[in-house]
Amino acid sequence: MPVKPLTILFAASEAAPFAKEGGLGDVVGGLPKYLARLGHAVRVVIPRYYSVNREKYNLRLLPGTLVVPMGIIGNQYCGVYEGRLPGCDVPIYFLEHEAYFGRPGLYQQDGQGYMDNDNRFVFLSKAALELCKMLDFTPDVVHAHDWHTGVIPLLLNTSYLHDRFVGDAASLLTLHNMQHQGAFYPGLMEVLGVGWKHFNYLELEKDDQVNLLKGGIYHATLLNTVSEGYAREIQTAEFGWGLEGVVGDRSNDLYGILNGVDYEEWNPQSDRFIAANYSARTVKKGKALCKRDLQSTMGLPLRDDVPLLGVVSRMVRQKGTDLLAEAIPRILEMDVQFVMVGNGEPWAHFYFGDIAAQYPDKFACFIGYDEALAHKVEAGADFFVMPSAFEPCGLNQMYSLAYGTPPIVRSTGGLEDSVENFDEAKLTGTGFKFWSHSATALYDTIGWAVYTYFNNPAGLAALRKNGMAQRFTWDAAALKYEELYKLAIKRRRGPEYFRNRFGE
Ligand code: ADP
Ligand code: GLC
């Protein structure tokens, strides 16, 4: 237990299991539980999208209404539902605003981002701070995530600077993905209501647009990414998406903390979605049963003697879907089976649907989001494929290690940090890595894994064993976040913080 528990507000656009599109939801739904175990008072706030089921999660409507000043739009009002993160006592609050969040998608519909995402997430950012008043909660630190709540650090340093509840709060901004920055027309300044003087090249302005993430990077007390590798990468033009300079200016305040895995959810010994539970000792037999189950679920021939490759992923360029599209006809010339679960860009849905029709005995895909199937792929596949162009952390490769399913990854960001390349001589390593961002490199590396499957059973067994021995715990990550919070609080409360930091 720390000497003094901290009060921490998480503000984000997703939290598993309530509303999730990707790993951001896993992190916001997972990390608070482990911070609470360290003795801290954590609260989480996200929107109440239609997909957040009030009955299922037993949500309770709090008395009162939040009043959220939206600049030129005027005050907006919203109700607040309260629930608990599963398996712990951490309160989570859901902002009920019909016009902004009363729709099926989180960010988009049919591949088109909602037209009012600017107002929706500025609203979320402001409402999260207003919520503290309603709850009589004084956070030591507000933990914001990605562009959706990225403007919070700026709000804390400007319009909320003298607020009774959040005026002294430090801020930590976690960068899960630099590609999406929340860039909108300059008129958004009138909704933000912080004054046009903040629309300058250091703070909110980028390419004549308001860039919410940039404002957050400039203003956050401290910053972190979700792996050490990605913290280095985003300071380069290749991975910074135009913000590498802004990030580089803050490199002394930027840290990397690898995400953890919720081993209560992702554990082959207790996983309720898979055909047979298994441990490192029983992995061979257990995986064989799970493989059969996966083959039959996906309508592939039931074969024990063929390497089965699996993908679970958003189908976008970030995840290397384009590389896979290019390589897949050649990959399927080998004696393999391939299972793909995902959704994303429409071209990929058509393309891979077509591949499934052309190679019914070898390739099967499920276009959509399916939690149970994701678990079945982790357990039933022989190898897990992640050819990402960039990967801030990536969770699936860590899940696949836990399931004895060696990952085949392009070595970038969190993939570089969490997977060790196979060494055939020493029988060390946990997966197969390649560096070049090309379909050929992907094909060659899959070829290496397939060769290992057929010709090097001792190598395969070692890879499985080594992977299953890895542990990426939230306990370890939570301790690192605790240190960052403490440092951020110390900085923010230190003498002359604003003069030292901003020259004011
Ligand atoms: P990202 O957040 O960039 O999409 P991560 O690897 O961090 O990548 O996290 C992805 C998360 O979303 C994992 O928990 C993964 O299992 C899940 N996921 C992605 N696509 C699907 C899908 N189609 N069905 C089920 N789960 C999915
Ligand atoms: C982002 C990244 C992914 C990371 C996740 C959670 O979605 O793309 O690599 O694992 O955030 O931090």
Side-chain angles (χ1 to χ4, degrees), residues 8 14 222 230 254 267 288 305 328 354 376 432:
I8 306 158
E14 312 185 6
L222 292 178
Y230 195 57
L254 171 65
N267 180 349
D305 59 341
I328 198 74
D354 224 44
K376 282 180 189 287
F432 301 88

Side-chain angles (χ1 to χ4, degrees), residues 14 20-27 176-177 259 266 312-316 318-319 341-343 366-375 378 384 386 390-397 399:
E14 312 185 6
K20 165 180 155 180
E21 283 217 346
L24 171 63
D26 289 308
V27 173
H176 299 262
N177 193 326
N259 288 330
W266 295 93
V312 178
S313 162
R314 292 184 288 121
M315 290 171 154
V316 293
Q318 176 193 342
K319 300 293 175 183
V341 175
N343 56 5
F366 171 82
I367 306 289
Y369 192 93
D370 188 325
E371 188 77 24
L373 201 48
H375 286 250
E378 292 292 0
F384 194 91
M386 267 179 102
F390 68 96
E391 197 60 79
C393 176
L395 295 171
N396 282 108
Q397 82 282 9
Y399 300 157

Side-chain angles (χ1 to χ4, degrees), residues 13-14 30 60 124 143 158 233 423 443 492 504:
S13 57
E14 312 185 6
R60 184 174 72 94
L124 166 62
H143 190 164
T158 54
E233 288 175 348
D423 183 321
Y443 169 78
R492 177 67 173 72
E504 285 169 8

Side-chain angles (χ1 to χ4, degrees), residues 209-277:
Q209 290 192 302
V210 175
N211 188 302
L212 297 175
L213 191 66
K214 180 174 174 181
I217 292 172
Y218 182 76
H219 277 276
T221 321
L222 292 178
L223 299 155
N224 81 293
T225 60
V226 286
S227 66
E228 289 184 5
Y230 195 57
R232 284 189 300 274
E233 288 175 348
I234 62 172
Q235 299 180 50
T236 68
E238 192 185 347
F239 297 95
W241 296 89
L243 290 183
E244 55 276 9
V246 189
V247 172
D249 285 347
R250 302 233 39 207
S251 58
N252 288 337
D253 300 328
L254 171 65
Y255 296 80
I257 301 177
L258 198 69
N259 288 330
V261 168
D262 187 345
Y263 289 108
E264 284 156 31
E265 273 298 305
W266 295 93
N267 180 349
Q269 294 194 58
S270 54
D271 193 321
R272 61 192 190 285
F273 295 117
I274 62 179
N277 291 121

Side-chain angles (χ1 to χ4, degrees), residues 176-218:
H176 299 262
N177 193 326
M178 292 293 292
Q179 184 181 4
H180 307 290
Q181 302 178 356
F184 301 104
Y185 74 119
L188 187 60
M189 289 303 296
E190 297 288 359
V191 179
L192 274 172
V194 292
W196 279 92
K197 72 172 184 191
H198 296 286
F199 188 67
N200 63 62
Y201 77 102
L202 286 172
E203 295 178 76
L204 281 166
E205 187 274 330
K206 181 172 182 293
D207 303 331
D208 294 328
Q209 290 192 302
V210 175
N211 188 302
L212 297 175
L213 191 66
K214 180 174 174 181
I217 292 172
Y218 182 76

Side-chain angles (χ1 to χ4, degrees), residues 9-15 19 24 28 43-49 52 66-70 73 76-80 92-97 99-101 106-107 116-132 142-153 155-156 160 166 184 188 191-192 212:
L9 178 73
F10 269 62
S13 57
E14 312 185 6
L24 171 63
V28 177
R43 300 185 178 200
V44 182
V45 54
I46 69 165
R48 212 294 284 185
Y49 309 102
V52 176
L66 276 191
V67 183
V68 183
M70 288 288 283
I73 297 174
Q76 292 290 308
Y77 303 88
C78 86
V80 179
I92 173 162
Y93 300 93
F94 300 90
L95 304 170
E96 173 90 348
H97 187 291
Y100 288 148
F101 302 126
L106 273 57
Y107 313 115
D116 56 349
N117 273 346
D118 47 358
N119 294 341
R120 296 173 78 223
F121 292 107
V122 166
F123 175 83
L124 166 62
S125 303
K126 291 187 174 195
L129 300 182
E130 293 293 336
L131 178 68
C132 295
V142 180
H143 190 164
H145 299 263
D146 275 354
W147 75 266
H148 318 96
T149 52
V151 80
I152 283 182
L155 293 171
L156 286 173
Y160 287 83
V166 297
F184 301 104
L188 187 60
V191 179
L192 274 172
L212 297 175

